[in-house]
Amino acid sequence: MIPAQFDYVRPDSLAEACAELGSDEDAKVLAGGQSLMPLLRLRLAYPSKLIDIGRLDALKGVHDRGDHLFIGALATHDEVMRSPLVTAACPLLALAAGHVADPATRHLGTFGGSLAHADPAADLPAAVLALDGVLVAASAQGEREIPAARFFVDYLETSLRQGEILSGVKIPKLGPGWGFHYEKFVRTAQAWAVVGVAVAVKRSNGSIAEARIGLTNMGATPLRAHAAEAALRGVELGDQVRQACEEAAAGSSPPADLHAQPDYRRHLARVLTHRAVRAAAGSP
Amino acid sequence: MSVQEVGRPRRRKEDARLLTGRTRWTDNLTRPGLLHVMFLRSPMAHAAISRVDVSGARGLPGVVAAFSGQDFAAEQGSLPCAWPRAADTVIPEHPPMAVSGVRYVGEAVACVVATDRYRAADALEAIEIDYEPLPAVLDMERALAGDSPKVHETGNRAFDFTSTHGDVEAAFRDAPVVIDRTYVQQRLIPNAMEPRSVLCDTDGETYTMWSATQIPHILKVMLAMVTGVPEHTLRVIAPDVGGGFGSKLQVTPEEVLCLLLARKLGRPVKWTESRSEGNLTVHHGRDQIQRIRLAADADGRVRGLQVRLLADMGAYLALLTPAVPLLGAQMFNAIYKMDAYEFACTGVFTTKMPTDAYRGAGRPEATFGIERIMDELAAELRMDPLEVRRRNWIRQEEFPYTTISGLTYDSGNYEAATDRATALFGYDKLRAEQADRRDKGDPVQLGIGVSTYTEMCGLAPSRWFGSNNAGAGGWEHGSVRVLPTGKVEVITGSTPHGQGHVTAWSQIAADALGVPFEDVSVLYGDTAIAPKGLDTYGSRSLTIGGIAVLKACEKVRDKARRLAAHLLECSPDDIEFEAGAFRVRGTESQKTLQELALAAFTGHDLPEGVEARLDSDATFDPENFSFPHGTHLCAVEVDTETGMVRIRSYVAVDDVGKVVNPLIVDGQIHGGIAQGVAQALFEEAVYDADGNLLTTTMADYLLPSAADLPDFTLDRTESPATSNPLGVKGVGEAGTIASTPAVVNAIVDALRPYGVNDVRMPCTPERVWRALGAEGVRR
Ligand SMILES: Cc1cc2nc3c(=O)[nH]c(=O)nc-3n(C[C@H](O)[C@H](O)[C@H](O)COP(=O)(O)OP(=O)(O)OC[C@H]3O[C@@H](n4cnc5c(N)ncnc54)[C@H](O)[C@@H]3O)c2cc1C
């Protein structure tokens, strides 16, 4: 398949990139191209111009900023998966990144691209949502912070404004006592999630003190399973955990597609949430 | 004495070049002044075309030409159907480019020829077409109802075919057990690693076509017949071809149109499909509804079998479309003895992509049907599925055995293969574990699937093809040239596209001529270099083409013997041949093959009746098919909470007769099993209610990778074929034929305690979960 014609620029600074983006409504940012190029090749998108941000050093790398990590938008899935900083502070992201596609895609696709693309079937958005990440948007007007809970607006739609580039994401450090798990249900090893569940659990004295649950592909955006989180609070590890996880699909509106119908996705969300919570809590 | 090459696990000669990218795929080829073709394809499943306006494309930069179907109407002919086996087969007009109407989404309706593919793609968007929509015809049963909209004026019935053996009524009358099941063979999309690609060049008088095809020889004949371009002005080359699985056993619209475009424009043109375009327009496979009834005695002995198929032809009859389901006609009875057998098949037109040969073609469908229902019989009688099979299969001492459907199986040993497979599998231990998990109510249940398959392959006997109304025969050609320096060139009419002919043919020639494996090269795939051949499909290469090469080698040896006798002044009967030398028996006096090749080259001193050059050629056309068989055992774990199926272990013991190269055979079995597992678990072409294909990308049409498959445990038994001198049987399709029912039988076996007796393929987690009851199983 062959994309329609477009212009291409590769700015050397974030300011220049923001200026380019601000001056052309039909321009699009190009990061790893792993979501954008398929859209172009299938002629589902006709941007006037691609602004390749691949050379912007300010957007690269994973940085320790004391109480939080700053993950640059251009950090690739592979980098996130292997980063010792990520593994130490928020291993949930490394786990989720390790489930993205295949090695080739993980080496090209970026953390920021995955979030900006806002595909509810993607693995990283639910994990960032569960960790209460804060997304940093840069534009000609300066920087703006957007909590993950307000970032994902609709299917493939974020609260980034025209002219804004996602420069990175702040992930608060959770401190001791937390366990993590990403449970991805797929039909083939490299496929998109039918349903995914990202879980962070704080244990205390054999009970769950706090649980944070992000759901992949259970609606038009990644979701928090608030009802299950509430039901899990204070629950002793054991049989009641399953009961609490029955709430996992509450309030979701999962899609119907070739791989699953909504009722089956709801069922999966319950089963997988239970499995993920148990795994995160280190409970057999 | 040189080592025997046949039987050695030689690494493939092909691979170093393929793996290091020194390849010649059609899309990599170019010609001076090359133009690029792109097709505009119908977005409608069924419509009349009221207007096509390509003028908007014609003026665009880089565009050399744009055409509608009307522009080809006078010259494009009708695409061929070469095997209308049933006497009443209706063959509708099948224009390469639609003229007055379209009958499936993806049908070519116009094309653009431009200086590059980018401009051609842009120009497609400037073409205007008005369609008058007609109702899509998607469901086979409804298509046959009297009030159904028609795909063709003649109606939706393509053919009816029936064959009856024995007294079926008597077999079913008063039978203690009758099992009645309906199985669905879903539609599949062959996914060769290399997409299709065609390049056609002309010098004004002759035409050379490079195509990613399995069948350069057949294609050449067919192009001439379809377009009227004289056959002797055509040359077809299949360079490196990256897989086909039957999908490149076709005379495609794009091949015909590229030839016509080269003729119209007097310039070389090339077309290469995109993957999504391929999903729409590569011929599809399978797509049958199988109603199967089996009558048995209370002890499990099969009395009779009745098979009624509906086979989806799609919109037109392509090269072998109507013949594919009928390749199952003699196969549903499989390895079992029975008193009566009836096979009936109706071919149905729908507004979908035509179906045609896909790895196994007709035999996987039949094997699935019989192996599934044998398991149902076992379940009904509470017998072990292997025991039911044992009570019915042809015993080793009964070979050769003429089956109820009239085929004569030359050799086989179902007992040996099954014994070996059950031992490797740990059958009894797994049954014990299964019982244990059932008792405990383990949320992960274990299932064991059995498939004791056979198949008919080595598609040949020309006589059989003839008596079954095929347009061609099944012989194959080979020739051998010993060059003046003693090196050997083998030319084969069997055109490889991944199988490893170069290696296997080298092994055969090395043994037959007593030359080193390394001294043999193999030429193929160009009608100017290998002018005679019937190409590669139906697991026929080795059993037909390999034997033709062997026969050509034997002729060369005879010629060399006469020449040696002349030069050594003795009778040819006194010459013995060993390790590449011809020696006067009981003496030291000899001529090597190399010396004789040089002598035959100079021609200075040839005996009466011996012509210059040490070369020869031969065709082979066997009396019978080959009948590989085997026992495949599959253990699956089914997560009853999610419906997820995981294959835990898989054992395949195959009997493919004598083995020329064990590595190649194992590779074929591995790939074959993977493809059969894919049908069981992953793949399905899905059309929506309007006839749009939904599975146009690999995100929707799921292909497994190594990560989704278990390690396969392989072994072999060896019952040599008697229909060819090497004793070899085909192996290209066996794995695919065997594995699909093994996997589904295992899944159903796991779920039987839950009252499940079928899961439709592909057995997706959701389907398995639903089979367990709407709420699934919760602990
Ligand atoms: C074969 C395949 C399989 C895949 N499987 C999975 C999977 O299993 N799970 C999964 O989560 N993902 C999967 N993906 C998607 C992959 O994760 C992509 O890398 C990711 O979604 C997009 O990142 P990118 O850097 O490639 O973005 P691009 O494709 O370059 O861009 C995507 C979109 O985001 C915008 N964008 C990118 N970066 C920024 C930025 N910094 N600021 C503002 N806008 C920006 C672009 O304009 C574009 O609209 C798969 C992709 C492929 C090709």
Side-chain angles (χ1 to χ4, degrees):
Chain A
M1 301 243 99
I2 288 174
Q5 200 167 327
F6 53 83
D7 289 334
Y8 172 87
V9 290
R10 192 172 59 202
D12 291 316
S13 72
L14 183 55
E16 209 185 311
C18 289
E20 285 278 3
L21 192 60
S23 68
D24 183 349
E25 252 182 74
D26 297 323
K28 278 240 157 223
V29 170
L30 174 68
Q34 297 304 290
S35 292
L36 188 54
M37 290 315 293
L39 291 179
L40 297 190
R41 290 168 71 86
L42 292 165
R43 295 201 171 207
L44 294 172
Y46 290 77
S48 56
K49 186 191 283 183
L50 294 189
I51 301 163
D52 184 344
I53 58 172
R55 296 268 168 108
L56 305 184
D57 290 338
L59 274 52
K60 291 185 180 168
V62 177
H63 310 276
D64 192 339
R65 301 244 171 107
D67 64 344
H68 67 271
L69 285 192
F70 181 80
I71 303 180
L74 286 177
T76 63
H77 304 319
D78 187 72
E79 269 178 86
V80 171
M81 180 180 124
R82 292 178 201 282
S83 158
L85 287 174
V86 171
T87 306
C90 45
L92 183 59
L93 292 179
L95 294 171
H99 274 100
V100 173
D102 49 72
T105 302
R106 289 199 291 267
H107 275 89
L108 289 164
T110 65
F111 192 70
S114 181
L115 297 169
H117 191 56
D119 187 334
D123 300 300
L124 293 164
V128 169
L129 193 60
L131 294 173
D132 289 331
V134 175
L135 294 92
V136 182
S139 69
Q141 284 73 46
E143 271 194 1
R144 176 168 86 95
E145 296 196 350
I146 313 165
R150 291 214 311 273
F151 184 76
F152 303 104
V153 174
D154 206 342
Y155 182 71
L156 306 189
E157 200 182 316
T158 68
S159 52
L160 282 179
R161 298 185 190 130
Q162 209 257 311
E164 280 185 330
I165 292 176
L166 180 64
S167 63
V169 185
K170 295 177 169 179
I171 307 286
K173 293 186 186 170
L174 283 176
W178 286 84
F180 306 91
H181 189 75
Y182 186 65
E183 185 79 20
K184 181 177 183 178
F185 192 82
V186 283
R187 287 185 53 204
T188 57
Q190 297 164 4
W192 291 84
V194 177
V195 172
V197 183
V199 168
V201 170
K202 187 175 168 80
R203 277 181 70 156
S204 141
N205 302 324
S207 297
I208 294 174
E210 189 184 347
R212 300 190 190 169
I213 304 169
L215 301 175
T216 296
N217 217 6
M218 285 296 289
T221 64
L223 299 174
R224 280 287 282 269
H226 292 297
E229 290 178 4
L232 281 164
R233 193 163 301 130
V235 164
E236 245 178 72
L237 289 169
D239 288 347
Q240 295 98 308
V241 173
R242 177 184 288 271
Q243 191 59 40
C245 292
E246 288 299 300
E247 302 294 326
S252 65
S253 47
D257 58 29
L258 288 173
H259 304 305
Q261 292 302 306
D263 62 330
Y264 177 57
R265 280 202 162 91
R266 282 196 198 93
H267 168 76
L268 283 179
R270 293 189 275 260
V271 173
L272 302 178
T273 298
H274 177 230
R275 290 181 182 179
V277 168
R278 277 202 331 203
S283 150
Chain B
M1 174 72 211
S2 54
V3 194
Q4 171 143 350
E5 282 293 341
V6 168
R8 276 183 86 176
R10 275 283 190 188
R11 293 232 197 146
R12 305 199 322 170
K13 283 185 172 180
E14 292 89 336
D15 288 342
R17 187 175 66 79
L18 290 172
L19 292 172
T20 54
R22 286 175 220 178
T23 43
R24 306 162 296 152
W25 313 111
T26 300
D27 190 46
N28 295 148
L29 304 176
T30 189
R31 308 290 294 169
L34 182 66
L35 298 174
H36 298 262
V37 183
M38 282 202 134
F39 294 98
L40 187 65
R41 300 191 174 276
S42 170
M44 313 284 294
H46 195 192
I49 297 176
S50 48
R51 186 180 72 99
V52 182
D53 183 358
V54 298
S55 59
R58 280 189 178 138
L60 294 176
V63 172
V64 173
F67 298 108
S68 68
Q70 193 60 50
D71 298 323
F72 293 109
E75 53 180 323
Q76 67 176 349
S78 183
L79 290 166
C81 170
W83 196 355
R85 184 161 164 194
D88 66 351
T89 309
V90 177
I91 307 181
E93 275 293 299
H94 186 183
M97 188 176 284
V99 179
S100 56
V102 290
R103 293 185 176 81
Y104 64 92
V105 169
E107 193 167 352
V109 288
C111 69
V112 168
V113 187
T115 48
D116 65 56
R117 297 184 72 204
Y118 295 83
R119 293 185 197 280
D122 288 345
L124 287 184
E125 296 189 350
I127 295 175
E128 288 173 25
I129 305 202
D130 292 343
Y131 296 99
E132 289 165 29
L134 294 166
V137 179
L138 301 164
D139 178 275
M140 283 195 277
E141 273 154 359
R142 263 185 274 152
L144 291 176
D147 58 352
S148 169
K150 291 177 179 174
V151 181
H152 296 283
E153 268 165 29
T154 47
N156 297 336
R157 193 177 290 268
F159 65 84
D160 282 301
F161 178 95
T162 313
S163 62
T164 308
H165 311 272
D167 187 342
V168 177
E169 224 215 278
F172 277 82
R173 200 185 310 129
D174 308 326
V177 186
V178 173
I179 315 267
D180 188 335
R181 293 282 187 276
T182 299
Y183 297 127
V184 176
Q185 287 281 328
Q186 78 270 34
R187 183 175 271 255
L188 300 176
I189 304 177
N191 268 278
M193 207 183 288
E194 181 208 14
R196 290 176 301 156
S197 181
V198 190
L199 193 168
C200 190
D201 197 4
T202 180
D203 58 11
E205 278 155 23
T206 67
Y207 300 88
T208 303
M209 178 178 289
W210 291 260
S211 182
T213 179
Q214 296 174 221
I215 52 162
H217 299 92
I218 295 172
L219 180 59
K220 175 177 163 172
V221 181
M222 290 296 170
L223 286 173
M225 287 182 171
V226 169
T227 63
V229 171
E231 193 178 346
H232 66 290
T233 66
L234 280 168
R235 174 179 176 190
V236 177
I237 301 172
D240 285 328
V241 177
F245 310 117
S247 71
K248 294 171 182 169
L249 163 51
Q250 193 54 268
V251 177
T252 64
E254 294 84 3
E255 286 164 331
V256 171
L257 292 167
C258 282
L259 173 61
L260 298 179
L261 285 169
R263 182 165 74 177
K264 262 188 199 302
L265 303 171
R267 288 180 64 176
V269 297
K270 181 161 81 177
W271 167 78
T272 300
E273 74 185 353
S274 73
R275 189 58 73 172
S276 330
E277 193 178 20
N279 275 17
L280 282 171
T281 61
V282 140
H283 72 236
H284 291 175
R286 314 280 193 270
D287 207 340
Q288 293 183 355
I289 299 172
Q290 314 176 308
R291 166 112 190 257
I292 307 178
R293 295 177 71 229
L294 178 143
D297 287 330
D299 64 358
R301 194 188 71 86
V302 176
R303 295 161 59 127
L305 185 69
Q306 198 184 39
V307 176
R308 294 196 191 290
L309 302 184
L310 293 182
D312 195 334
M313 305 285 98
Y316 300 97
L317 300 187
L319 193 63
L320 302 173
T321 303
V324 168
L326 301 183
L327 279 171
Q330 287 171 286
M331 275 284 109
F332 274 88
N333 53 301
I335 64 170
Y336 308 114
K337 298 179 280 189
M338 58 189 73
D339 307 328
Y341 168 52
E342 184 182 281
F343 173 92
C345 176
T346 299
V348 186
F349 289 116
T350 59
T351 52
K352 298 182 198 170
M353 181 65 207
T355 55
D356 206 314
Y358 178 50
R359 202 168 189 175
R363 290 98 79 210
E365 296 92 314
T367 304
F368 182 87
I370 184 68
E371 288 303 297
R372 282 286 296 111
I373 208 162
M374 288 303 279
D375 260 35
E376 295 303 304
L377 174 61
E380 176 76 22
L381 297 174
R382 298 182 185 287
M383 279 171 69
D384 184 284
L386 283 172
E387 181 55 27
V388 159
R389 286 168 170 80
R390 248 180 228 117
R391 290 190 187 183
N392 287 286
W393 70 39
I394 300 156
R395 292 194 312 276
Q396 203 254 326
E397 62 272 20
E398 293 175 296
F399 286 96
Y401 183 90
T402 299
T403 69
I404 185 79
S405 66
L407 291 173
T408 299
Y409 296 173
D410 57 342
S411 70
N413 190 339
Y414 308 140
E415 294 89 341
T418 302
D419 289 349
R420 185 78 191 118
T422 49
L424 287 170
F425 190 63
Y427 188 81
D428 296 335
K429 218 171 140 215
L430 282 167
R431 281 282 178 217
E433 181 185 332
Q434 177 182 49
D436 188 46
R437 288 195 189 216
R438 282 179 181 175
D439 287 348
K440 286 203 314 233
D442 194 322
V444 178
Q445 289 286 314
L446 186 69
I448 294 170
V450 172
S451 169
T452 49
Y453 79 100
T454 190
E455 62 130 338
M456 55 192 283
C457 69
L459 288 191
S462 296
R463 210 176 273 285
W464 183 88
F465 275 124
S467 58
N468 285 286
N469 212 26
W475 51 264
E476 193 46 87
H477 185 78
S479 47
V480 173
R481 304 194 277 251
V482 185
L483 303 174
T485 57
K487 309 292 185 199
V488 176
E489 284 174 347
V490 167
I491 299 102
T492 179
S494 168
T495 307
H497 44 283
Q499 291 83 356
H501 290 38
V502 171
T503 304
W505 283 207
S506 294
Q507 290 177 274
I508 292 171
D511 277 358
L513 298 174
V515 297
F517 172 76
E518 293 75 15
D519 283 2
V520 185
S521 72
V522 180
L523 310 176
Y524 56 85
D526 179 341
T527 57
I529 288 171
K532 298 187 213 174
L534 285 173
D535 307 313
T536 292
Y537 42 85
S539 303
R540 66 191 300 277
S541 295
L542 178 60
T543 55
I544 324 294
I547 304 299
V549 168
L550 176 69
K551 297 222 169 248
C553 289
E554 285 167 354
K555 284 190 183 173
V556 164
R557 226 161 56 198
D558 286 345
K559 185 170 179 178
R561 183 189 304 274
R562 280 194 285 155
L563 181 54
H566 173 74
L567 297 176
L568 298 169
E569 297 178 348
C570 68
S571 149
D573 295 340
D574 292 335
I575 298 281
E576 58 184 17
F577 174 67
E578 205 193 309
F582 295 80
R583 186 176 304 120
V584 183
R585 203 182 310 278
T587 73
E588 293 290 287
S589 158
Q590 67 165 35
K591 291 279 178 196
T592 64
L593 188 72
Q594 188 178 345
E595 289 167 329
L596 294 169
L598 190 61
F601 169 69
T602 63
H604 294 164
D605 183 14
L606 300 178
E608 190 67 28
V610 170
E611 293 172 4
R613 299 302 300 255
L614 208 47
D615 54 13
S616 189
D617 60 352
T619 61
F620 182 64
D621 197 344
E623 298 280 306
N624 197 358
F625 300 99
S626 82
F627 302 99
H629 73 81
T631 298
H632 286 216
L633 297 172
C634 174
V636 298
E637 289 181 355
V638 180
D639 181 341
T640 57
E641 291 182 338
T642 62
M644 189 69 188
V645 172
R646 189 181 76 87
I647 298 180
R648 186 163 107 181
S649 61
Y650 196 104
V651 169
V653 176
D654 294 280
D655 193 324
V656 297
K658 289 273 183 199
V659 167
V660 171
N661 185 321
L663 284 181
I664 291 179
V665 166
D666 285 355
Q668 287 289 338
I669 296 286
H670 273 241
I673 294 173
Q675 228 156 347
V677 169
Q679 177 175 10
L681 296 180
F682 304 117
E683 297 186 28
E684 180 169 25
V686 182
Y687 283 88
D688 72 9
D690 298 322
N692 298 302
L693 184 70
L694 299 179
T695 47
T696 53
T697 74
M698 285 188 177
D700 297 316
Y701 190 86
L702 292 189
L703 296 174
S705 65
D708 302 300
L709 298 162
D711 277 339
F712 305 126
T713 304
L714 305 189
D715 203 356
R716 278 188 289 276
T717 56
E718 190 177 292
S719 309
T722 63
S723 52
N724 66 69
L726 282 178
V728 293
K729 302 176 181 179
V731 68
E733 295 154 298
T736 308
I737 291 168
S739 60
T740 310
V743 175
V744 179
N745 277 342
I747 294 168
V748 174
D749 184 55
L751 302 185
R752 239 187 250 285
Y754 301 85
V756 174
N757 70 17
D758 193 29
V759 179
R760 240 193 86 169
M761 295 189 293
C763 303
T764 63
E766 180 168 0
R767 282 194 180 137
V768 171
W769 176 71
R770 289 198 193 282
L772 283 162
E775 278 295 282
V777 177
R778 302 259 193 84
R779 255 191 318 173

